[in-house]
Amino acid sequence: MQFNHYLNFQGETEVAFNFYKSVFGGEFSHFQKYTDLADAQIAEHEKDYVLHVSLPINAFTELMGSDTSEQFCAQNSAPFIKGNNHYISINLDASEQAEAKRLFDALSVNGQVEMPLEKTFWGAIYGAFTDQFGVKWMINCQLEDH
């Protein structure tokens, strides 16, 4: 199991992560924009937004992030607020699916689920929620290489 920090922005992810890369060094292990998806359902002015970026900091930590779209914020009744754009991301291997479900179910009790834990297009089961104390979490259990 690995804990990482996940940052959301609204159109500033690429600039922010290039800055973080200049500070921490290294190369992105993953960088994908919404335009890389053939069927992206996103507003024209958001087509160049970052879908996901990962910057390894050391052998145990990655700084990750993405741009939130207006549509995503509207669907989840969670407006983007600069300064409240941070998640704790728990990343598990395919062999830990039961643990991913246990953690999601336990941590989200009395909280608000943004995305239920379910299979995704990037080959994982994933879910996001705010716990009862206002802490934002993501659970990502990679099922296949992507």
Side-chain angles (χ1 to χ4, degrees):
M1 184 183 317
Q2 185 180 32
F3 281 69
N4 292 305
H5 298 280
Y6 202 100
L7 306 175
N8 290 125
F9 298 93
Q10 207 162 28
E12 296 179 313
T13 299
E14 187 169 5
V15 171
F17 271 77
N18 280 323
F19 169 74
Y20 299 142
K21 187 167 102 170
S22 76
V23 172
F24 295 110
E27 296 298 325
F28 299 130
S29 61
H30 187 91
F31 187 93
Q32 185 176 19
K33 292 188 173 190
Y34 283 98
T35 55
D36 297 333
L37 298 177
D39 59 346
Q41 302 281 325
I42 194 159
E44 187 62 36
H45 69 279
E46 296 175 337
K47 292 263 186 213
D48 210 31
Y49 276 16
V50 174
L51 176 65
H52 179 75
V53 61
S54 295
L55 177 64
I57 304 299
N58 59 38
F60 308 104
T61 306
E62 286 194 44
L63 184 61
M64 298 183 289
S66 64
D67 286 310
T68 59
S69 69
E70 293 169 4
Q71 179 185 4
F72 178 81
C73 290
Q75 285 175 341
N76 292 293
S77 303
F80 175 83
I81 301 170
K82 204 168 202 170
N84 188 20
N85 54 343
H86 180 268
Y87 286 79
I88 298 172
S89 177
I90 301 176
N91 300 285
L92 302 109
D93 293 326
S95 65
E96 301 174 289
Q97 291 180 55
E99 180 67 353
K101 181 168 177 17
R102 186 191 74 77
L103 289 169
F104 185 91
D105 292 345
L107 287 168
S108 65
V109 166
N110 298 321
Q112 179 161 353
V113 173
E114 291 175 33
M115 255 180 107
L117 189 66
E118 58 191 21
K119 190 159 175 129
T120 66
F121 67 87
W122 63 85
I125 54 172
Y126 169 86
F129 57 90
T130 302
D131 72 17
Q132 62 186 317
F133 304 105
V135 176
K136 295 174 159 240
W137 296 84
M138 296 176 168
I139 308 289
N140 189 78
C141 182
Q142 202 63 40
L143 303 175
E144 57 194 56
D145 287 335
H146 191 78

